[in-house]
Amino acid sequence: EVQLVQSGAEVKKPGESLKISCKGSGYSFISHWIGWVRQKPGKGLEWMGIIYPGDSDTKYSPSFQGQVTISADKSISTAYLQWSSLKASDTAIYYCARREGGPAAMDVWGKGTTVTVSS
Amino acid sequence: SYVLTQPPSVSVAPGKTARITCGGNNIGSKSVHWYQQKPGQAPVLVIYYNSDRPSGIPERFSGSNSGNTATLTISRVEGGDEADYYCQVWDNSDHGVFGGGTKLTVL
């Protein structure tokens, strides 16, 4: 079964750093892109960026460029999303999702990681 | 940047047909994907490449795309179809773009 398993919920203070993960299984991890999507409370989906674990090619939404870092460790089939200094406005659910390539859909999604940033 | 416009809400009676639109400049030249999201759950792909259905998605779900509008059509709507629906494309820089989402209410 193809799965993306995300790390657990996090509660952090403003200014702290954070790295959340997304582990793929049941398919060739290096042959599919992994994207990250933010959903703030009661709001819609926002596309943050995407990485191709095979060569670490990464693309960021202009809205998130410089605000987060997307990476992957293909040896353990895991993608990451990290912040160096969290803000309260980063409070959201973060989903990872798989894409084959080209204009393909994001066909498999993780269950999401809830990040709460509060003093 | 590329913008996708969806109506915030659509209401339909059970058994009727719901149509959710997604507007974008010459969207007919792009591949449009649709996701369903129920409260407290992750999004689920319901239509890909404009009109294809993943396995497990009922035939009641269909899609079309032409000109400046893509449409998700749900026939014989059931209470279980009540959810938020999002359209999505990839722009010319291979960045993902989501529509604002449409809340489908089954009356």
Side-chain angles (χ1 to χ4, degrees), chain A residues 85-97:
Chain A
S85 181
L86 286 161
K87 310 179 191 67
S89 57
D90 293 319
T91 294
I93 300 174
Y94 294 87
Y95 295 101
C96 64

Side-chain angles (χ1 to χ4, degrees), chain A residues 8 11 15 26 35 54 64 67 88 92 95 103 106 117:
Chain A
V11 179
F64 291 94
Q67 307 305 307
Y95 295 101
M106 292 182 286
V117 184

Side-chain angles (χ1 to χ4, degrees), chain B residues 37-106:
Chain B
Q37 187 181 33
K38 296 182 178 179
Q41 297 183 20
V44 171
L45 179 67
V46 293
I47 291 289
Y48 63 102
Y49 285 131
N50 303 318
S51 58
D52 291 338
R53 269 179 295 103
S55 60
I57 301 301
E59 290 183 13
R60 301 183 296 102
F61 287 80
S62 63
S64 63
N65 183 20
S66 178
N68 292 317
T69 305
T71 304
L72 172 69
T73 301
I74 310 171
S75 305
R76 302 181 299 284
V77 166
E78 303 173 357
D81 298 330
E82 194 161 274
D84 293 326
Y85 292 85
Y86 296 90
C87 57
Q88 182 255 319
V89 301
W90 300 94
D91 70 12
N92 292 339
S93 299
D94 201 25
H95 293 158
V97 180
F98 285 102
T102 298
K103 181 177 181 61
L104 177 67
T105 299
V106 181

